[in-house]
Amino acid sequence: MKDLVHIFELEDLLQEANNPLVRQAKADGKRALGYTCYFMPEVLLDLPGCFSVRLRAPRSGSPDMATYYMSNRTCMYGRCLLERALEGGFNFLDAQMATETCTVTCRFQEHLQLMDIIKNPDFFCEFTDVPFKKNENSIEHYMGQLQFHVLDKLKEHFDIDTSDEALLKAIEEHNEICRLISEIGSYRKLDEPTITGWEFSVIQLATLVCPKYLIIDKLRDIAEQLKTRTPDAKKTYRCKVVLSGSEMDDPDFVKLIEECGALVVADRHCYGSLPGREEIVVKEGETPLYAIARHYLESSQCPRFMDQHVMRERKQFLADVAKEYKADAIIITQMKFCEYWSYERTIDTLVIPRDFGYPVCSIEREYVNNAVGQLRTRFQAFVESIELKNLHKEG
């Protein structure tokens, strides 16, 4: 297929956290607000006068300094973030909007709060408590937390407009990004998809780490091109898979899977679009902030929700995604030492094949991918096993 417009430009933007568009937005006088988790609503960080940056540590090496502070038995994602901060890679941040969710990222953000790491005199770090249940009381609590720890602090520190009118405008702009990403992603549902998993991963990730007002025109161009893009004359993949799991911000990992013959047609992981790019609906009688709090709690598929019925709903959701995107199998990945996803991956590996009939490849990975050869062997063997099963079915 012909290269997508802007795709290599977007890929270049992913090579560092303080990318050229971040620097341009800072030059425009906007405040850079970092975050690490879906439960910090990016729509609140994209209010007029500021922009959201979901933190990554691209091109990381060994996080030796961070390991000294956090031990080598913690998730490497959190350690690589701290390493990058100690190196000065996050000095562009004006604030870190933290959430009490993932334990290791909490430790990383506590270091930002307690140590003089970020060399920015305006920098502050603020923690928001996130409920473990999805009910009316949880929404009310979550809304109060977002008001006090996010909106009030942005108003106090940077004089950001946090009125209902400003929130509604931010929701409208956020929803346009969601509509464009959903439109682009819809081409993965075709019998012969006209966009690869690597391409979509680059595009989706760029919307999380770049100021949205500076990339929305690029998304429009990509969506327009996909209307007429045709698949390769000869199929370049052997099966379709859903990629599910914890933190995954490395498009090269997706490329590795696709080089082994498995086209990634859906991204159900922490940095993916399923969930992540659903439009926020403000229902009649709701305030904008209540609608935001309800949306993020109800749409989340995070394994920190441990009610039995919610856990079963997550399995059904994953199977429904595989069916909708015509996937043959599911790859489930987990960052090493990730507490929540270690349980979720183990359960999914057993339940998904038994209850829904989808083959599962279960992978434990590090943030810095040094086991390319082993992973390539695993993925190639998995693709071959899927082909054999399909042959047996046909027979």
Side-chain angles (χ1 to χ4, degrees):
M1 293 182 288
K2 183 181 178 181
D3 290 335
L4 279 179
V5 62
H6 303 306
I7 192 67
F8 297 113
E9 179 184 355
L10 294 177
E11 183 187 21
D12 287 342
L13 292 171
L14 302 180
Q15 300 308 306
E16 58 177 318
N18 190 16
N19 62 61
L21 294 189
V22 168
R23 295 196 292 271
Q24 180 178 336
K26 290 279 290 184
D28 291 342
K30 296 184 181 295
R31 298 288 187 170
L33 308 178
Y35 72 111
T36 62
C37 181
Y38 180 74
F39 288 110
M40 176 48 61
E42 60 182 308
V43 64
L44 295 182
L45 310 186
D46 288 322
L47 286 164
C50 52
F51 64 96
S52 62
V53 179
R54 194 155 180 177
L55 295 190
R56 303 166 58 243
R59 300 185 295 174
S60 287
S62 178
D64 296 328
M65 292 186 293
T67 300
Y68 171 79
Y69 287 102
M70 300 177 69
S71 97
N72 62 356
R73 295 188 178 274
T74 55
C75 162
M76 188 180 271
Y77 169 59
R79 283 187 282 147
C80 285
L81 290 183
L82 180 57
E83 188 81 9
R84 186 55 48 85
L86 291 167
E87 294 168 349
F90 295 144
N91 286 341
F92 67 92
L93 291 177
D94 294 292
Q96 174 65 17
M97 309 311 288
T99 51
E100 292 278 3
T101 46
C102 163
T103 302
V104 176
T105 55
C106 278
R107 300 293 81 79
F108 152 66
Q109 291 165 132
E110 284 175 350
H111 282 83
L112 296 188
Q113 189 177 50
L114 299 174
M115 300 169 62
D116 185 23
I117 297 178
I118 305 300
K119 304 305 179 183
N120 181 339
D122 295 333
F123 178 81
F124 71 94
C125 182
E126 189 72 21
F127 278 84
T128 298
D129 179 54
V130 180
F132 281 87
K133 292 184 179 292
K134 302 182 180 186
N135 54 39
E136 186 62 31
N137 287 338
S138 298
I139 296 173
E140 293 286 348
H141 173 77
Y142 187 34
M143 181 179 68
Q145 288 285 304
L146 294 175
Q147 178 67 56
F148 181 78
H149 292 289
V150 181
L151 297 184
D152 289 353
K153 299 304 178 183
L154 292 179
K155 180 70 174 177
E156 174 188 342
H157 285 269
F158 304 134
D159 197 27
I160 299 298
D161 182 4
T162 60
S163 64
D164 284 355
E165 291 75 16
L167 288 175
L168 287 171
K169 182 180 179 182
I171 290 174
E172 180 182 348
E173 294 171 350
H174 175 83
N175 285 349
E176 184 174 1
I177 293 286
C178 292
R179 284 192 293 271
L180 286 166
I181 288 294
S182 297
E183 179 183 347
I184 292 168
S186 67
Y187 294 95
R188 300 183 294 171
K189 300 178 185 179
L190 299 175
D191 292 334
E192 297 295 333
T194 53
I195 183 171
T196 68
W198 172 81
E199 289 171 331
F200 186 85
S201 176
V202 168
I203 296 165
Q204 161 63 7
L205 197 55
T207 68
L208 296 174
V209 302
C210 298
K212 294 178 178 58
Y213 76 100
L214 294 177
I215 63 168
I216 192 164
D217 287 341
K218 304 181 195 304
L219 300 183
R220 294 183 183 123
D221 291 343
I222 292 170
E224 187 64 29
Q225 182 184 352
L226 283 168
K227 291 178 180 178
T228 56
R229 199 186 200 199
T230 56
D232 292 320
K234 183 179 180 181
K235 193 165 70 173
T236 58
Y237 59 91
R238 295 152 64 185
C239 65
K240 300 177 184 177
V241 297
V242 172
L243 180 59
S244 177
S246 59
E247 195 281 342
M248 213 298 292
D249 65 25
D250 183 9
D252 285 340
F253 184 77
V254 177
K255 180 181 287 188
L256 173 63
I257 296 173
E258 297 191 322
E259 288 173 348
C260 296
L263 182 68
V264 177
V265 293
D267 55 335
R268 183 268 182 267
H269 51 76
C270 291
Y271 277 57
S273 65
L274 302 167
R277 285 294 174 239
E278 297 79 14
E279 293 186 46
I280 299 172
V281 178
V282 182
K283 299 179 181 178
E284 185 176 355
E286 290 183 342
T287 64
L289 183 58
Y290 182 92
I292 291 169
R294 174 184 53 75
H295 171 84
Y296 278 87
L297 276 187
E298 292 181 351
S299 64
S300 172
Q301 295 290 324
C302 181
R304 69 193 299 275
F305 295 111
M306 296 183 182
D307 288 346
Q308 284 296 313
H309 71 282
V310 176
M311 293 176 70
R312 286 192 290 270
E313 287 171 359
R314 286 202 299 271
K315 316 309 172 202
Q316 185 65 58
F317 177 84
L318 185 54
D320 290 344
V321 166
K323 182 178 180 181
E324 181 181 2
Y325 286 81
K326 303 180 178 67
D328 301 294
I330 299 171
I331 296 176
I332 301 174
T333 71
Q334 167 225 323
M335 195 71 65
K336 192 174 183 180
F337 299 122
C338 177
E339 182 179 2
Y340 291 131
W341 273 99
S342 63
Y343 296 115
E344 187 78 357
R345 180 174 66 92
T346 301
I347 297 171
D348 283 352
T349 302
L350 296 172
V351 172
I352 297 298
R354 184 195 69 192
D355 293 354
F356 301 101
Y358 285 102
V360 167
C361 179
S362 181
I363 297 291
E364 183 181 66
R365 57 184 287 267
E366 289 278 24
Y367 187 72
V368 178
N369 187 13
N370 293 322
V372 173
Q374 293 174 327
L375 288 173
R376 189 181 299 276
T377 301
R378 288 283 305 276
F379 293 142
Q380 288 172 340
F382 185 56
V383 170
E384 290 174 5
S385 71
I386 295 168
E387 289 180 319
L388 286 173
K389 289 178 182 178
N390 290 338
L391 287 173
H392 289 159
K393 288 180 183 178
E394 293 173 4

